[in-house]
Amino acid sequence: MDRRSFLKIGAAGTAAASLGMMTSFSPDPRKDETAKTRLDVKDYVREPARRIPVVDSADLVVLGGGPAGVAAAISAARQGVDVILLEREYYLGGLWTGCCVLPVNNISGRLKSGGWGQVVYGFSEEICRRLTEMGYCIVTGASPVPDPEAAKYVMELMLGEAGVRLLYNCQGAGVIPSGDRIDAVLVESKSGRVAIKAKAVVDCSGDGDILEWAGEDFELRKAHVGAMWRCGNAADFKRRGAHKTPIDSVKLFHTNGEFDQDGLDIYNQTRLQLKMRKHIWETLEKDRQLPGGERLFVLDSTTLLGVRVTRVLNSVRNVTYADSVRYATYPDCIGIGGADPTLKYSGGTLPGKERPVWQVPYSAITPKRVRNLLVAGRCFGFDKDLTYDAREVGTCFLTGQAAGTAAALSLLDRCSVQEVNIPRLQKCLAGGGVRFDM
Ligand SMILES: Cc1cc2nc3c(=O)[nH]c(=O)nc-3n(C[C@H](O)[C@H](O)[C@H](O)COP(=O)(O)OP(=O)(O)OC[C@H]3O[C@@H](n4cnc5c(N)ncnc54)[C@H](O)[C@@H]3O)c2cc1C
């Protein structure tokens, strides 16, 4: 291959956020026009009522073991409450580890005091430092990039140390309401359909599953669905879009995928997952033609589909893009969010270096109606224009830490989540390493 062909393939491959470049799908000439790709309900069946065994109970049930759920469960347990974390997969980290979206973005931004600096500390800093000390986390740009297998292991260690009770293979399937509270979470599992009683619940499912089941107010959004994957034997492979990882011989790759997608439609999800894998293998074939790529192999592809946003809470007060770019302050601030390096919003693109840091208010993770539910991660309450900032891993750690701590305080103080004592919450968060200065 000559240099011109090499550059052509490299350039075709890309344009990436923090990752420097991304690939998008090319039209598929073999597309099967007859395949069903949209969920289309034409009929209903009625499920007979049945008794569900109650197999456990806890002060707090956290649904979903992604970045937000792990931070929430550990932070709550550290306040002394009994926590069960339910996860449908057999590993922790959600998209962070299961979709290889490794760079912990949005921990820095343009400071009000001038210059560029880190603002997200607390749980995010703690876990990245621990991975760094083990030799499994590097920093590229402003973002820590861990090894996903090490991250899965460290999260299990940290949950164990905090005394969180973890249950894998538990697909949350509904809630049992009691007035304006949730009384139990229903779970589908290999043990059958079971119920777990909870005094409080944090929805960290990413898709806001509990919002729907509990009848809470939310908005269903579409976004692009993409993928990331890792290749081995990549030490000498250097095209743009091949990103460093903590392991020298392993590189990280990314595709934007398809825009404006319904991430909850199982037919569409299946179509996209098939397309992602095809894209990964076709990209591999091209990359193997490039210098240094001859022995590349796919080390892992996504075990979770790269769904960015679906249900988003209509919270007591959603964070707005307008507020976030003018250093707005809230009395119930739970931490400072950082900047996505290529923030896109309706009006255009704001260069990362100009993106101000922004306060996250407690009211944005607080539902309007249900009294014992908080929401963290990519489904808390934020403007559509904030999609690039509000759902990145750094912000998920931040909202998870705040939601877990606040849920614990509501239990200890015997009040609703809407009545949590904000100065006490802020003091606890500061004790957990969260910084509030912009
Ligand atoms: C292609 C792509 C690239 C990205 N790149 C980056 C990047 O470079 N840097 C960055 O910081 N962010 C990136 N992001 C965003 C980031 O990965 C996610 O927004 C973040 O992981 C969300 O964390 P979360 O905990 O809210 O949800 P998730 O990571 O989605 O975790 C949710 C967890 O809940 C579990 N779960 C879901 N429903 C149920 C249920 N009903 N019952 C039981 N368990 C359930 C899931 O299995 C999962 O473990 C990217 C996202 C995508 C899709």
Side-chain angles (χ1 to χ4, degrees):
M1 167 153 311
D2 63 21
R3 188 177 134 73
R4 187 180 293 172
S5 326
F6 167 68
L7 290 174
K8 209 166 140 194
I9 292 175
T14 50
S18 48
L19 291 170
M21 39 194 229
M22 308 171 189
T23 54
S24 286
F25 295 137
S26 52
D28 183 354
R30 290 169 298 174
K31 191 172 164 198
D32 177 4
E33 298 295 344
T34 60
K36 184 170 169 178
T37 56
R38 289 280 178 273
L39 190 140
D40 180 18
V41 181
K42 291 211 171 70
D43 196 6
Y44 289 86
V45 293
R46 191 170 292 278
E47 185 181 16
R50 54 178 162 151
R51 286 198 320 162
I52 307 294
V54 176
V55 295
D56 217 326
S57 64
D59 293 332
L60 177 67
V61 167
V62 177
L63 185 77
V70 170
I74 291 174
S75 304
R78 286 177 179 171
Q79 297 299 322
V81 301
D82 174 36
V83 184
I84 291 182
L85 173 61
L86 301 173
E87 168 55 47
R88 64 183 174 187
E89 305 289 338
Y90 282 99
Y91 61 84
L92 297 166
L95 292 169
W96 188 37
T97 54
C99 189
C100 280
V101 302
L102 305 177
V104 179
N105 286 347
N106 289 28
I107 60 169
S108 318
R110 187 161 61 86
L111 305 171
K112 193 173 181 187
S113 51
W116 178 269
Q118 184 177 340
V119 283
V120 178
Y121 288 90
F123 185 82
S124 174
E125 177 78 358
E126 182 184 343
I127 189 166
C128 291
R129 188 180 305 134
R130 194 154 168 174
L131 283 157
T132 306
E133 282 166 6
M134 286 169 64
Y136 286 103
C137 189
I138 56 170
V139 175
T140 65
S143 303
V145 179
D147 175 75
E149 292 304 317
K152 290 175 191 173
Y153 175 54
V154 163
M155 283 185 274
E156 287 179 352
L157 288 180
M158 291 175 80
L159 283 178
E161 289 159 8
V164 174
R165 293 191 281 147
L166 170 65
L167 273 176
Y168 281 143
N169 179 29
C170 284
Q171 168 95 31
V175 295
I176 302 294
S178 170
D180 55 8
R181 302 177 71 82
I182 294 170
D183 188 37
V185 176
L186 296 173
V187 168
E188 292 290 357
S189 72
K190 286 288 178 187
S191 309
R193 189 173 175 93
V194 297
I196 297 179
K197 290 252 194 184
K199 292 183 189 148
V201 176
V202 182
D203 186 346
C204 295
S205 64
D207 293 316
D209 288 358
I210 290 192
L211 300 180
E212 168 129 23
W213 303 328
E216 190 51 65
D217 192 15
F218 66 86
E219 183 185 321
L220 185 56
R221 294 186 189 160
K222 289 183 174 177
H224 53 302
V225 170
M228 294 177 82
W229 68 98
R230 296 188 304 163
C231 284
N233 280 340
D236 301 323
F237 185 65
K238 290 208 168 48
R239 79 155 161 83
R240 279 192 72 208
H243 300 279
K244 280 174 70 173
T245 73
I247 302 187
D248 286 343
S249 58
V250 174
K251 294 240 159 70
L252 178 65
F253 300 80
H254 182 224
T255 174
N256 250 336
E258 281 191 25
F259 285 79
D260 200 30
Q261 293 301 306
D262 180 345
L264 293 179
D265 179 329
I266 49 175
Y267 290 89
N268 196 35
Q269 289 175 330
T270 305
R271 179 185 70 81
L272 288 163
Q273 185 68 11
L274 291 170
K275 207 165 174 181
M276 299 293 164
R277 199 168 330 274
K278 184 163 173 287
H279 175 84
I280 290 169
W281 280 90
E282 287 178 355
T283 306
L284 175 74
E285 287 311 309
K286 285 183 198 159
D287 285 344
R288 286 175 70 114
Q289 310 300 315
L290 301 177
E294 298 82 358
R295 294 178 58 244
L296 285 180
F297 67 95
V298 177
L299 179 61
D300 48 16
S301 56
T302 55
T303 51
L304 289 180
L305 182 64
V307 173
R308 286 178 164 84
V309 173
T310 56
R311 298 185 196 93
V312 172
L313 174 69
N314 279 329
S315 65
V316 169
R317 176 186 190 152
N318 278 21
V319 194
T320 65
Y321 173 78
D323 270 3
S324 80
V325 290
R326 64 175 182 89
Y327 297 109
T329 56
Y330 310 99
D332 61 345
C333 174
I334 50 171
I336 311 296
D340 185 89
T342 55
L343 178 71
K344 294 181 190 70
Y345 58 99
S346 336
T349 302
L350 187 63
K353 288 285 171 206
E354 290 170 26
R355 173 72 172 106
V357 299
W358 49 289
Q359 286 199 349
V360 186
Y362 177 63
S363 36
I365 64 168
T366 311
K368 290 181 205 154
R369 199 184 64 80
V370 183
R371 314 307 279 172
N372 64 343
L373 172 67
L374 286 168
V375 178
R378 62 185 169 89
C379 50
F380 85 98
F382 55 85
D383 249 14
K384 196 163 185 185
D385 277 347
L386 266 180
T387 298
Y388 279 83
D389 286 59
R391 59 173 183 95
E392 299 281 281
V393 173
T395 323
C396 292
F397 282 139
L398 186 158
T399 53
Q401 182 171 5
T405 308
L409 293 186
S410 77
L411 292 163
L412 296 170
D413 293 348
R414 296 175 187 277
C415 66
S416 73
V417 295
Q418 288 82 3
E419 295 162 334
V420 163
N421 181 313
I422 298 298
R424 183 155 127 83
L425 171 61
Q426 289 166 332
K427 197 171 166 202
C428 288
L429 290 173
V434 174
R435 298 200 196 167
F436 293 90
D437 35 315
M438 289 202 283

